[in-house]
Amino acid sequence: MCKMRFIGIIPARYASTRFPGKPLALIGSKPMIQRVYEQASKALTELWVATDDVRIAECVRSFGGNVVMTRSDHRCGTERCLEALQIIAPEEQVVVINIQGDEPFIQPEQINAVKQCFDDNETQIATLVKPFTESDTLADLENPNTPKVVTAPDGTALLFSRSVIPYLRGIDKSDWLKQHKHFRHIGMYAYRSDVLLQITQLPPTPMEQAESLEQLRWLENGYKIRVAQCNTMSIGIDTPDDLVKANEWIKQHNY
């Protein structure tokens, strides 16, 4: 049994180009940030929302959640997680789990799968993937908003891309999902606290800038990302249209 201390942090900001105020958008009768928090708390005893917005902070406190105020100039959720950690547990060696604030249906088994990666003392960073299945379409596979990942035999990531990887040369695209197991990246990360400090100091790298995927910066600098696999697909909310679909889903499932 791993005795490492895990701290879950949910970065949440009000400003968003595609969906301003997204954390406070209602899914059923609850704000999105509350649904994320309640789901994550099923797998984590220490959980915080890190935000720069008073409205989000007040919402979290209203349902009894923990919140920490952070700066507004962070470029990404990873940087916000570091600042939150430095407030919550500045001197301790822990594992921080960065939980996306727009994943209201995240399942505890997904978080637990990432936690188990740290049973190996060599794990620096961990993340989550899910196999594409034959019920997925070629459009799903080729969607650039769904990053793909390939892994090494030791269970670490070799490469992430918005393109389809690997490209199956000589095989008709309509058969790609039948001929090879492709993996979609689920954007949850966990980092040892010392590694989190290190990776936030790294300058942008060419592959990261080309793909707009921050995890490529870590790979380009020699960090290992261990990959956990799950078969559960959560529903991310990126746009107002996604919110409509999420509300339709909870009505159908009495969620």
Side-chain angles (χ1 to χ4, degrees), residues 4-12 33 36-37 39-51 60 65-68 77 80-82 84-85 88-89 94-101 106 111 114-115 188-191 196:
M4 177 64 67
R5 179 184 174 189
F6 293 94
I7 298 177
I9 299 177
I10 307 169
I33 192 65
V36 176
Y37 194 98
Q39 286 298 106
S41 66
K42 296 175 182 178
L44 292 162
T45 57
E46 293 188 73
L47 183 63
W48 296 76
V49 173
T51 187
V60 174
N66 300 313
V67 64
V68 57
R80 197 174 301 281
C81 282
L82 175 63
L85 176 65
I88 298 163
V94 302
V95 171
V96 173
I97 301 183
N98 178 352
I99 298 160
Q100 301 296 312
I106 189 170
I111 297 173
V114 171
K115 288 169 67 176
M188 184 195 309
Y189 297 106
Y191 343 74
L196 175 58

Side-chain angles (χ1 to χ4, degrees), residues 70-109:
T70 54
R71 302 195 316 271
S72 60
D73 60 346
H74 292 303
R75 295 169 297 176
C76 60
T78 304
E79 291 183 358
R80 197 174 301 281
C81 282
L82 175 63
E83 186 189 356
L85 176 65
Q86 290 172 333
I87 297 169
I88 298 163
E91 303 297 332
E92 297 188 49
Q93 287 297 312
V94 302
V95 171
V96 173
I97 301 183
N98 178 352
I99 298 160
Q100 301 296 312
D102 56 6
E103 292 278 352
F105 306 109
I106 189 170
Q107 297 299 310
E109 57 264 31

Side-chain angles (χ1 to χ4, degrees), residues 3 16 36 38 43 52 114 137 170 185 195 199 222-223 228:
K3 296 181 180 179
S16 170
V36 176
E38 290 176 350
D52 60 353
V114 171
T137 66
H185 182 221
V195 174
I199 62 177
Y223 288 89

